[in-house]
Amino acid sequence: MTDENLDHKLDQLIAILSRMAPPEIKPLDMDQCDCFVWNPEKLTLNPVKHVNRIDIDLIKGVEQARDALIENTRQFANGLPANNVLLWGARGMGKSSLVKSVQAKINKENAGKLPLKLIEIHREDIGTLPILLSELRKTPYRSIIFCDDLSFDQDDTSYKSLKAALDGGVEGRPENVVFYATSNRRHLMPREMIDNESSTAVNPSEAIEEKVSLSDRFGLWLGFHKCGQDEYLDMIDGYVRHYGLDEPLDKIHHDALEWATTRGNRSGRVAWQFIMGLAGRLGKKLD
């Protein structure tokens, strides 16, 4: 083999090994904006310049959960003790919208101070959470790590990684980080998964404890339940006033109830979908 061929082979080998090597961890750049998405492949944060959120006053029917989340987040932003939060329950009732809106509200209250950061981590990237926590510990900012629609299926053991990360291991959870998650399941995993493991375990009660103990890592549980007709119409009225939709209110109510009936559900998401249809029909843009 000639020296030229050998050099070519070595270059190919180096290129392959470079692709296999984990990316170099660089200090997180969190000065660009207030919201980010965790990129586990590059071990960095992707900035989100335009966040998909609504004004907190438009989130109706969940006042108790809203107030509890605001207070917990305010404590955290002000350097006081605060809990990890699990927002669980009915779909479409504003769980993820509330997290994003509360962050904006607290930053507005604390104008002039270091802003509170919101970092979204996807469910499938939970295994890299310890790396993210370790890097956030080095930053001057206080951050909410947010995982939307968190749940675990049969044979999924990554929940153990999350348990360890929430406990913080030997170092403990970083003082400048809390973890907020939304889920349709109170214990983050299907009931049959817990039952199946308990039926095959030597000590069934220990198997159940192992599964449900994950949700125990969240100090604050906020339940979201299906809304009634009055709450649903209150959501509609809030959107109508906010966007100045000019149509008789009794007709809007009639159409909104019919809209919900065709979908078999009343929720904040259904109310918003109706408002988008109404605005489009009236030729009104929604900012």
Side-chain angles (χ1 to χ4, degrees):
M1 181 179 293
T2 66
D3 290 344
E4 184 177 342
N5 287 337
L6 180 60
D7 289 343
H8 179 66
K9 294 293 185 182
L10 288 174
D11 289 341
Q12 287 182 320
L13 179 60
I14 291 172
I16 293 172
L17 292 176
S18 297
R19 289 195 295 270
M20 294 174 61
E24 179 184 355
I25 301 178
K26 299 179 180 179
L28 298 178
D29 181 5
M30 303 180 67
D31 299 329
Q32 303 177 58
C33 56
D34 294 340
C35 294
F36 302 87
V37 175
W38 171 239
N39 185 330
E41 294 180 356
K42 297 182 178 180
L43 300 182
T44 188
L45 297 174
N46 295 333
V48 180
K49 300 291 186 181
H50 303 287
V51 182
N52 178 27
R53 60 181 162 210
I54 62 175
D55 189 282
I56 195 168
D57 293 333
L58 293 177
I59 302 177
K60 305 288 186 180
V62 292
E63 284 74 12
Q64 185 175 357
R66 177 200 64 197
D67 293 346
L69 187 63
I70 289 174
E71 184 58 30
N72 190 76
T73 309
R74 183 182 288 126
Q75 290 173 194
F76 174 66
N78 292 333
L80 299 171
N83 279 301
N84 297 319
V85 182
L86 174 63
L87 302 89
W88 68 277
R91 67 187 190 277
M93 282 303 295
K95 297 186 291 294
S96 60
S97 295
L98 187 58
V99 172
K100 292 179 283 188
S101 297
V102 165
Q103 182 233 3
K105 175 180 174 61
I106 297 303
N107 278 342
K108 187 176 180 179
E109 287 181 3
N110 292 346
K113 300 180 181 179
L114 279 180
L116 177 64
K117 305 295 183 175
L118 182 66
I119 301 168
E120 182 173 13
I121 183 171
H122 296 141
R123 155 69 187 84
E124 58 272 19
D125 301 327
I126 286 296
T128 63
L129 182 58
I131 300 174
L132 176 57
L133 290 174
S134 177
E135 293 306 304
L136 288 175
R137 187 188 297 272
K138 306 171 186 176
T139 71
Y141 296 103
R142 303 184 75 77
S143 301
I144 299 170
I145 298 179
F146 172 51
C147 187
D148 193 21
D149 198 20
L150 178 63
S151 62
F152 299 92
D153 297 321
Q154 187 73 31
D155 301 324
D156 188 345
T157 60
S158 59
Y159 73 91
K160 295 182 180 179
S161 298
L162 178 58
K163 283 172 62 176
L166 294 179
D167 280 342
V170 175
E171 290 185 297
R173 191 188 77 201
E175 182 271 339
N176 63 333
V177 177
V178 288
F179 189 87
Y180 287 6
T182 69
S183 178
N184 294 332
R185 300 167 178 167
R186 185 174 182 177
H187 292 299
L188 301 175
M189 51 195 68
R191 185 75 247 177
E192 60 269 19
M193 181 177 175
I194 300 174
D195 293 340
N196 288 344
E197 294 228 359
S198 64
S199 65
T200 58
V202 175
N203 190 329
S205 63
E206 288 183 358
I208 294 176
E209 286 296 322
E210 170 72 7
K211 296 300 182 182
V212 301
S213 64
L214 172 57
S215 55
D216 288 343
R217 266 61 178 181
F218 296 88
L220 183 59
W221 292 6
L222 300 178
F224 290 70
H225 309 285
K226 293 182 179 180
C227 64
Q229 179 173 300
D230 291 343
E231 293 171 319
Y232 172 70
L233 292 178
D234 191 29
M235 297 173 188
I236 297 293
D237 292 347
Y239 285 128
V240 168
R241 288 191 299 269
H242 184 78
Y243 293 111
L245 301 180
D246 188 18
E247 193 166 70
L249 197 57
D250 57 346
K251 183 179 188 312
I252 291 177
H253 283 183
H254 176 273
D255 292 346
L257 291 174
E258 185 176 292
W259 181 280
T261 300
T262 62
R263 280 147 187 80
N265 185 35
R266 289 190 295 262
S267 69
R269 181 178 296 134
V270 171
W272 174 245
Q273 291 168 345
F274 168 76
I275 289 297
M276 286 196 293
L278 174 62
R281 190 169 73 247
L282 296 176
K284 181 84 171 182
K285 290 187 177 181
L286 301 179
D287 297 326

